[in-house]
Amino acid sequence: MSKLRIFCVANQKGGVGKTTTTVNLAAGLAQVGQRVLVIDLDPQGNATMGSGIDKRALPASVYDVLLESAGIVEARQRSAKGGYDIVGANRELAGAEVELVNQERRERRLKRALLPVRDQYDFVLVDCPPSLSLLTLNGLVAAHGVIVPMQCEYFALEGLSDLVNTIKQVHANLNPDLQLIGLLRVMFDPRITLQQQVSDQLKAHFGEKVFDTVIPRNVRLAEAPSYGQPGVVFDPTSRGAQAFIEFAHEMVKRVG
Ligand code: ADP
Ligand code: MG
């Protein structure tokens, strides 16, 4: 496989599993031989820390990349544990939105920044913040597709329509390449009837766009970030890790 694929991991809700999906899919793809770059687009810097990189000590960050004071090559670091490269983020990124507001091509910064490294990777995964902000827009304009992690809860479908509409708008106006790749059910507990019902509704509405892989609720995935590692590396035998490895295979099959 040689064609670069750029995917956003997005959902405007917080705490739904975006960062967990990003770092574990990145590590899973790396384990099956893919060259992966992660872009942390969230000022919380959780993907950065969860990849074993100290967000308070970045030589350059995604903030510098968006403001064009550094390139990806200078800003990227190696996640030794994860087996992928990452452009880190920290609180500084929260200011980028305001600083970019009067600048030209402000929604195309990330897309442009990725051009020089496009032959160096098979996958770029963009961990988006919990909003449909200019930061997320930079991700959507740069990407070929969107992966949407979601919990099968009562209001999940409602929130989804805003995101789907945003993807349609970006597709129509800014990035004709952009597609919804799929919806990933995460933190799933099959014993909870409501989750099964929402999962069934999801399949009825979105059909093929719902990934086959289901990520279970698994405490090892939640523990891994405090060790600066993706769960698939921290405890490869855990059910959560195995599900993400399966998901990496599904992704390669789907888009490979
Ligand atoms: P987001 O990036 O959307 O805000 P996170 O990936 O940070 O969401 O996940 C929110 C919280 O849930 C984190 O504490 C994370 O460790 C935990 N978590 C995520 N996925 C799982 C899972 N499958 N099982 C258990 N805990 C999870
Ligand atoms: Mg996050």
Side-chain angles (χ1 to χ4, degrees):
M1 191 189 306
S2 61
K3 201 168 131 268
L4 173 65
R5 288 156 198 84
I6 303 172
F7 296 133
C8 285
V9 179
N11 187 324
Q12 74 276 26
K13 283 177 74 174
V16 294
K18 292 181 290 296
T19 300
T20 305
T21 299
T22 303
V23 299
N24 283 286
L25 178 58
L29 288 168
Q31 286 182 14
V32 295
Q34 303 297 309
R35 299 167 303 165
V36 183
L37 173 67
V38 169
I39 306 286
D40 189 350
L41 260 192
D42 188 339
Q44 294 180 82
N46 292 344
T48 305
M49 297 297 279
S51 300
I53 308 289
D54 186 354
K55 66 180 176 183
R56 292 150 304 201
L58 300 172
S61 71
V62 74
Y63 169 87
D64 300 294
V65 170
L66 294 175
L67 288 162
E68 297 177 344
S69 57
I72 299 258
V73 173
E74 301 150 82
R76 72 182 165 194
Q77 284 180 272
R78 186 75 181 164
S79 169
K81 289 280 186 193
Y84 51 81
D85 290 345
I86 178 165
V87 177
N90 54 34
R91 286 177 55 201
E92 203 180 20
L93 181 59
E97 192 110 10
V98 175
E99 289 173 57
L100 282 169
V101 92
N102 286 315
Q103 302 214 23
E104 278 177 50
R105 301 172 295 98
R106 58 182 177 270
E107 72 286 343
R108 297 184 186 275
R109 296 298 172 97
L110 182 61
K111 182 183 175 74
R112 190 183 160 104
L114 286 168
L115 289 176
V117 298
R118 70 189 151 186
D119 295 329
Q120 298 173 22
Y121 298 101
D122 302 302
F123 286 92
V124 175
L125 300 179
V126 182
D127 187 28
C128 289
S131 63
L132 298 173
S133 61
L134 182 57
L135 292 174
T136 298
L137 193 58
N138 260 274
L140 296 176
V141 167
H144 303 117
V146 187
I147 298 166
V148 182
M150 55 178 303
Q151 286 173 259
C152 289
E153 285 174 348
Y154 188 64
F155 290 113
L157 286 163
E158 202 166 294
L160 215 50
S161 62
D162 291 337
L163 181 57
V164 168
N165 282 332
T166 300
I167 293 170
K168 282 185 185 153
Q169 294 277 333
V170 174
H171 175 85
N173 298 307
L174 295 165
N175 176 10
D177 290 341
L178 190 69
Q179 286 178 33
L180 173 63
I181 302 295
L183 306 170
L184 178 66
R185 291 162 286 171
V186 299
M187 298 187 226
F188 195 77
D189 184 344
R191 293 165 303 183
I192 300 176
T193 310
L194 177 65
Q195 293 207 4
Q196 280 291 359
Q197 287 169 347
V198 173
S199 173
D200 291 344
Q201 274 180 331
L202 211 57
K203 281 195 270 188
H205 270 82
F206 290 94
E208 296 277 276
K209 294 284 184 192
V210 182
F211 289 111
D212 295 334
T213 309
V214 177
I215 309 297
R217 183 172 285 284
N218 180 250
V219 69
R220 302 299 270 167
L221 290 174
E223 288 167 353
S226 58
Y227 295 87
Q229 302 177 24
V232 299
V233 179
F234 175 62
D235 184 356
T237 62
S238 65
R239 282 170 59 244
Q242 288 181 347
F244 271 114
I245 294 294
E246 193 183 315
F247 181 49
H249 281 110
E250 184 178 359
M251 280 297 296
V252 171
K253 213 163 72 186
R254 247 186 213 231
V255 300

